[in-house]
Amino acid sequence: MNHREYFNQLAGKWDKITPEETRARLPQMIYYLAIKPGDIILDVGGGTGILLPLLYNAAGDRGKIVSLDIAEEMLKQARNNSHLGNIDFIHADVAAIPLSGEAFDLVICYSCFPHFPDKLKALAEMARVLRNRGRLVICHSASRQAINELHKSVGNVVENDTIPDEATMQKILAASGLKPIEVRDESHRYLAIAAKC
């Protein structure tokens, strides 16, 4: 089983198995990112669309959001869950984003970065579609250790899917052409933020 198959089979029950504690942490995380009205945002690994209302509220009617996911069933759920304007859905692999370069002010990668088999290639693609001075945000609503332990306990295709240590994360962000800004690993969240200069 590959990642696409794994997440496709979970799509129908994903919203039910997402803890309320996780949902409760998201508004503060999005607030911290200081998204500006009118921002154009790529939601990588958008899943069933958990971030879409928060991103939409932050970017406003003048903004635009593109939700990208490798699992078409996740995108189907996201479409069904979303009744907002200015949102497009794209079924694609983050390692081969079918969009023009320098298109986004923000690329957000929530709760999916560990699942990318080739993290450097994924980062390079996300950097490619960022505008100059645009930001990439890799984030989770738990610590690096908690996320890594969760994946190990789940097993299956995600068993070895991990968030790299801080030194490795800084290194691969820089190698992809991005300038690392900060890496925060706290009990209630993980954030790695970089900019395209």
Side-chain angles (χ1 to χ4, degrees):
M1 178 180 293
N2 61 32
H3 283 87
R4 178 183 173 192
E5 293 165 340
Y6 178 78
F7 286 107
N8 271 332
Q9 75 172 6
L10 288 174
K13 57 185 175 183
W14 191 258
D15 290 338
K16 296 182 183 71
I17 62 176
T18 300
E20 190 54 43
E21 182 181 18
T22 295
R23 293 178 185 279
R25 291 175 178 170
L26 297 179
Q28 186 62 34
M29 185 182 296
I30 298 301
Y31 178 78
Y32 181 79
L33 300 181
I35 295 168
K36 298 184 293 295
D39 273 353
I40 301 174
I41 303 168
L42 177 61
D43 181 14
V44 171
T48 60
I50 193 169
L51 290 186
L52 292 180
L54 299 170
L55 296 174
Y56 180 82
N57 287 340
D61 291 337
R62 293 186 296 115
K64 182 168 181 59
I65 302 165
V66 176
S67 180
L68 179 146
D69 205 288
I70 197 171
E72 61 271 26
E73 291 301 318
M74 285 284 190
L75 283 175
K76 183 177 177 182
Q77 293 295 323
R79 282 190 194 96
N80 291 339
N81 291 342
S82 177
H83 307 288
L84 304 166
N86 294 335
I87 299 177
D88 291 333
F89 299 91
I90 297 179
H91 174 232
D93 187 335
V94 67
I97 300 173
L99 297 169
S100 300
E102 301 184 3
F104 296 94
D105 301 298
L106 173 70
V107 174
I108 187 163
C109 187
Y110 171 68
S111 199
C112 58
F113 188 74
H115 307 306
F116 301 156
D118 188 336
K119 292 177 173 55
L120 185 55
K121 189 172 182 181
L123 284 171
E125 269 294 272
M126 290 187 279
R128 181 184 66 80
V129 300
L130 271 176
R131 292 175 171 168
N132 284 337
R133 294 184 295 281
R135 293 176 299 152
L136 167 69
V137 177
I138 296 166
C139 52
H140 294 265
S141 48
S143 70
R144 173 181 175 266
Q145 180 179 346
I147 295 296
N148 291 350
E149 288 177 355
L150 173 65
H151 293 157
K152 187 165 184 64
S153 71
V154 168
N156 206 309
V157 71
V158 302
E159 181 177 10
N160 297 308
D161 293 357
T162 59
I163 302 171
D165 61 53
E166 182 174 351
T168 303
M169 182 64 83
Q170 297 265 8
K171 181 178 177 182
I172 60 176
L173 285 169
S176 70
L178 296 168
K179 179 182 176 183
I181 296 173
E182 70 173 316
V183 175
R184 296 178 68 119
D185 186 10
E186 302 167 307
S187 62
H188 64 291
R189 68 178 175 184
Y190 175 89
L191 284 167
I193 302 177
K196 183 173 181 178
C197 300

